[in-house]
Amino acid sequence: MENVEHFGTLTERMKEFREEVLDEKPYIDAQRAILATLAYKENLNQPRVMVRAKMLEKVLDNMSIYILKTNLF
């Protein structure tokens, strides 16, 4: 899907990158899911925007850091 009206045409490199991103299989990280669930439970009475902010804070503060090997570059 190309949106030429807004962005013009993509370069060959960007077409390849776009296809690679779109072909990637989605996955769920168990640790992130657990942390997000805890944050939602801890902030039930907060406005949705605050719940999402607290969830992001909990994930960023507590999630293990790991680096995946990719073939993008």
Side-chain angles (χ1 to χ4, degrees):
M1 168 193 350
E2 287 190 32
N3 194 345
V4 178
E5 288 181 26
H6 292 290
F7 304 110
T9 56
L10 295 174
T11 64
E12 200 56 43
R13 183 177 71 90
M14 288 309 297
K15 283 180 187 176
E16 290 174 16
F17 177 72
R18 182 178 185 278
E19 288 305 314
E20 214 169 308
V21 169
L22 292 176
D23 288 343
E24 194 69 31
K25 278 190 165 187
Y27 69 94
I28 297 173
D29 186 284
Q31 184 182 24
R32 182 185 175 106
I34 290 168
L35 291 169
T37 302
L38 288 173
Y40 272 97
K41 286 180 180 179
E42 292 168 359
N43 297 286
L44 286 175
N45 297 324
Q46 297 290 324
R48 280 292 129 204
V49 67
M50 287 303 296
V51 173
R52 290 179 59 101
K54 292 291 188 178
M55 184 269 305
L56 179 60
E57 178 183 39
K58 186 168 214 62
V59 168
L60 294 177
D61 285 346
N62 297 292
M63 194 164 167
S64 301
I65 296 173
Y66 59 92
I67 299 172
L68 299 175
K69 185 177 180 179
T70 66
N71 57 358
L72 294 178
F73 300 102

